[in-house]
Amino acid sequence: MKKLILTLLVAIFVSGCASPKAVTKNYLVDQKDKYIAINLDVDAGRYVAMHEANVVEHIYDSFEQSGLFSDVETSFRRWPVTVQVKYSWEQPEINTGKGFAKTMVSASTLLLIPAVLTENHTLKVRIVSGKNIVEAFEFTEEVETALSLYHDPVEDRKNGISRVMEKVFDKIKKEKLIPTVMAIEKQIKAQQQKITL
């Protein structure tokens, strides 16, 4: 009986601990295949809590460390193309009877028993060239995390954002929403040839 209880307690503790560390993906592209420099604006609402701030920072890092852009400007609008990202998240399950029950059980054990919850993380993206909106789209990712004393849900959220960022970068690439350095160089050469003729 003692072994069964010990096994059960170990299983409960381990179920809330496993959360891989989130890392940003670096795409290895040649300089000519990189996108032109962009301005990046990330909006997470008026008041950003500490656990949200880590996720917002991960969004910035995903753009800056991706290696896809020749430059990512976050302080000033220096470039003609701006990527605007609005981040939001919700816990729809928390307002249901089942979600409330899980949370109460976890809280009654001082968060020793984890409450596995589902969150929806959304990125609304607008790509603006000058004053014209090139494209507006959004992606939502469902993230499973645990509310417990020994589990940090920030890594789960950041991993979810990493999956969303892959979708964003895929869309930019497939639909050619931001020109590459090579495409701009070709346009400049073509215009120079027209002028010399």
Side-chain angles (χ1 to χ4, degrees):
M1 186 65 169
K2 288 181 184 180
K3 286 184 180 182
L4 178 64
I5 292 172
L6 182 63
T7 304
L8 182 61
L9 286 174
V10 168
I12 287 171
F13 283 118
V14 171
S15 68
C17 291
S19 182
K21 181 147 178 61
V23 293
T24 56
K25 188 172 181 180
N26 189 318
Y27 299 82
L28 300 173
V29 295
D30 286 338
Q31 187 64 31
K32 65 180 180 8
D33 294 329
K34 288 185 177 193
Y35 299 116
I36 61 171
I38 63 165
N39 306 306
L40 176 63
D41 294 334
V42 179
D43 176 16
R46 195 167 184 183
Y47 303 104
V48 179
M50 185 55 125
H51 58 278
E52 293 168 332
N54 291 325
V55 177
V56 170
E57 183 180 338
H58 188 69
I59 295 169
Y60 279 110
D61 291 346
S62 294
F63 274 95
E64 291 172 336
Q65 297 172 13
S66 68
L68 292 172
F69 304 92
S70 56
D71 186 29
V72 177
E73 179 62 53
T74 59
S75 301
F76 304 102
R77 290 187 181 241
R78 293 185 349 182
W79 308 111
V81 175
T82 300
V83 177
Q84 299 170 339
V85 179
K86 184 169 177 61
Y87 166 68
S88 62
W89 70 285
E90 62 180 357
Q91 291 178 320
E93 187 180 25
I94 203 81
N95 295 326
T96 65
K98 181 179 177 184
F100 181 75
K102 285 196 255 185
T103 306
M104 291 288 61
V105 167
S106 182
S108 68
T109 63
L110 301 176
L111 303 179
L112 290 175
I113 296 177
V116 178
L117 299 170
T118 302
E119 301 174 346
N120 294 327
H121 294 261
T122 302
L123 290 184
K124 293 181 180 178
V125 180
R126 282 187 355 166
I127 299 173
V128 181
S129 180
K131 294 184 179 181
N132 301 321
I133 297 173
V134 175
E135 186 77 26
F137 55 92
E138 74 178 71
F139 290 109
T140 299
E141 183 73 20
E142 193 173 272
V143 175
E144 189 174 276
T145 188
L147 174 65
S148 75
L149 185 63
Y150 42 83
H151 180 82
D152 184 9
V154 171
E155 293 303 319
D156 295 328
R157 293 171 181 148
K158 287 165 59 173
N159 279 314
I161 289 300
S162 291
R163 292 189 297 273
V164 174
M165 291 307 303
E166 285 184 31
K167 293 175 187 176
V168 169
F169 293 148
D170 284 346
K171 184 169 180 73
I172 290 172
K173 181 180 180 180
K174 286 178 185 172
E175 298 184 17
K176 299 179 181 176
L177 300 175
I178 299 174
T180 62
V181 171
M182 186 169 63
I184 295 296
E185 287 175 355
K186 285 181 181 178
Q187 285 179 354
I188 292 170
K189 284 180 185 177
Q191 288 181 353
Q192 287 174 341
Q193 288 175 347
K194 284 182 186 177
I195 293 170
T196 56
L197 293 176

